[in-house]
Amino acid sequence: MVSCVSMPGEKATGAAGSLGIPDGYRGGKGAVPEVVDSLGGLFGGGEVKRQMNLALRNNADLEAAAARLEEAGFQTRSASAGLLPSLTASGGANRAKTNSAGGGVNFGSVVSERYSAALDAQWEVDVWGRVRAGVSVAKAGEEVAAAEYAAASQSIAAQTAQAWFELVAATKLRDLAKERMGSFQGTVDLVERRFELGTSDLGELSLAKTDVENARAEIASREDERDRAARALSVLTGAYPDGRVKAGQWPGLSRTVAAGIPSTMLELRPDIFAAYMRIVAADAGVKVAHRDLFPSFVLTGSGGQQSASLRRLAESNFSVWSVAAGLSGPLLDGGRRQAELGAANARAKQALANYRSTVLNAFREVENALGSEYYLRVQEDAIGGALEAARTAEERTLRNYEAGLVEVLSVLEAKRRRFAAEENSIQLRKLRYQNRVTLALALGKAY
């Protein structure tokens, strides 16, 4: 092996053994999300899976990745062709007229015709393995393209699921804004009735109307956010972003398993495999640069026929042939080939360093997702308690206001606290769903 880097093992975790990677992930505390075969399996069927299927069929970025994979396949075929002889056919026709003269006497003109046909063959004898190393580079590049296509598929599926949850949350926040306006309008009606009875004043009425108008403005903002989320989802699925797609309810999210997901699951990630195959390609590229320093052996041969008649040319056998062998090698090139060998070795080092970085970042993504799953669940439980308390406080404060025990400011503040808790609950639920998608993607199981 000419490369100055040490090739890692074929396993993702074993390849980075010097990085101190544990047998299992450490980010999870207590129960962690269930890891199933796919993201679609995690959330079951229904609209989420339907949207992911649409994206995998129609997404333009995924189509581009598929075309790159197709291109890499043709490049492999092109490189493999160098192992086989090349055969070229050629033909020609010539018609000439000459005048014959001598001693001042013109003997007339002579018209001659000449036809030729030939087959030329050429084959480089791959003594040093340079051509075979080039084929290895192309094959590794095709493997990289395949892994990148798989990674793109997973990414598009994950983005679509997250966009769906964004749309669900935006829809619920829009509906909550409408509910908020209705609730504050009810407060205005209550204050007006008390004003008519003389138990309230115009200041309290103005305060209540202020919250109504603020809620009206929020509805417009939430409508805009919902439409933007719908357009983002439409683009991912390859549809025109008209914002008409609708989202319903959250899917189920209750299954969990004990902590201790094995770190070997990282081997499923296509970006890890792609990074490894880039090392393989770079190492083969070093071989190509090294073998280019050696002489090349080329065999050539040709056979053909020449005739003054086109008909006889087609009927006759080959009567003209040649076979030759050539040897060529670099003598003076200003150090260009040596420089290319050094550059190839540097590229191999870069590929290894990028591989190590990819592995570490992959573990970081999993650990972050596991940690976020735990903390988001804690936050969601706390917000659930806060929401229950806020609802109780709102009901009691409203009764006290009707009894004349508190001012309208207390009612408005209680309502604001309750709706803030409702909004936080929706946002946290969205983050939990999206984080579950992130975890599936980080583990290489996005779809």
Side-chain angles (χ1 to χ4, degrees), residues 169 281 365 405 425 429:
E365 291 171 2
L405 300 177
S425 179
R429 177 56 63 92

Side-chain angles (χ1 to χ4, degrees), residues 1-322:
M1 178 155 316
V2 180
S3 173
C4 62
V5 301
S6 298
M7 291 283 288
E10 293 188 3
K11 300 298 184 181
T13 52
S18 61
L19 303 179
I21 293 173
D23 294 332
Y25 296 103
R26 297 170 176 171
K29 298 183 179 182
V32 297
E34 179 180 12
V35 180
V36 295
D37 290 337
S38 70
L39 181 60
L42 182 64
F43 296 113
E47 190 62 22
V48 180
K49 192 168 185 177
R50 191 183 77 84
Q51 293 292 330
M52 287 192 290
N53 287 335
L54 283 174
L56 292 175
R57 288 197 303 266
N58 304 322
N59 185 270
D61 292 335
L62 196 55
E63 290 178 359
R68 288 192 292 271
L69 175 57
E70 184 180 6
E71 177 189 6
F74 284 115
Q75 289 175 342
T76 300
R77 291 174 57 183
S78 176
S80 300
L83 295 170
L84 303 174
S86 63
L87 185 64
T88 304
S90 62
N94 179 267
R95 180 182 177 90
K97 176 181 179 180
T98 58
N99 293 320
S100 300
V105 179
N106 186 356
F107 296 103
S109 61
V110 177
V111 177
S112 62
E113 295 180 347
R114 200 69 178 168
Y115 300 93
S116 65
L119 289 176
D120 299 309
Q122 182 172 341
W123 180 41
E124 179 179 348
V125 184
D126 194 23
V127 176
W128 316 113
R130 183 185 65 82
V131 178
R132 291 192 297 275
V135 174
S136 297
V137 172
K139 287 182 176 179
E142 186 176 4
E143 293 282 2
V144 170
E148 289 178 341
Y149 176 75
S153 299
Q154 291 187 351
S155 177
I156 292 300
Q159 289 179 55
T160 303
Q162 289 181 329
W164 170 260
F165 298 136
E166 187 74 40
L167 179 57
V168 172
T171 302
K172 288 184 173 297
L173 289 172
R174 187 269 320 269
D175 295 342
L176 181 64
K178 292 181 178 179
E179 181 186 347
R180 185 199 306 261
M181 180 176 169
S183 178
F184 282 120
Q185 183 61 53
T187 304
V188 169
D189 295 341
L190 177 60
V191 174
E192 285 180 339
R193 287 197 299 271
R194 293 195 60 184
F195 178 75
E196 293 172 355
L197 295 173
T199 57
S200 180
D201 57 35
L202 289 176
E204 289 187 336
L205 185 59
S206 297
L207 286 173
K209 288 183 176 180
T210 298
D211 281 332
V212 169
E213 295 306 316
N214 286 335
R216 194 189 311 278
E218 185 180 6
I219 290 176
S221 175
R222 295 301 187 186
E223 287 281 9
D224 185 38
E225 291 176 1
R226 196 222 72 86
D227 291 347
R228 287 175 179 270
R231 294 186 192 105
L233 179 61
S234 296
V235 170
L236 284 168
T237 58
Y240 181 81
D242 52 20
R244 290 187 294 180
V245 61
K246 292 179 171 46
Q249 301 299 316
W250 304 111
L253 189 70
S254 59
R255 296 181 294 182
T256 60
V257 296
I261 299 175
S263 60
T264 52
M265 287 194 65
L266 201 66
E267 297 167 14
L268 300 172
R269 286 183 55 141
D271 59 337
I272 296 292
F273 181 72
Y276 174 77
M277 291 311 299
R278 288 189 183 96
I279 298 178
V280 175
D283 192 68
V286 173
K287 291 182 181 179
V288 172
H290 183 250
R291 301 306 190 266
D292 201 35
L293 296 173
F294 301 161
S296 61
F297 298 87
V298 179
L299 299 179
T300 60
S302 65
Q305 173 66 33
Q306 294 182 356
S307 174
S309 169
L310 183 61
R311 180 178 61 81
R312 288 199 300 271
L313 177 69
E315 295 174 350
S316 59
N317 295 323
F318 288 94
S319 61
V320 180
W321 59 271
S322 68

Side-chain angles (χ1 to χ4, degrees), residues 190 194 391-406 411:
L190 177 60
R194 293 195 60 184
R391 286 171 177 166
T392 301
E394 180 186 9
E395 293 173 0
R396 291 177 178 175
T397 305
L398 185 58
R399 287 198 300 267
N400 290 337
Y401 177 73
E402 291 173 341
L405 300 177
V406 297
V411 176

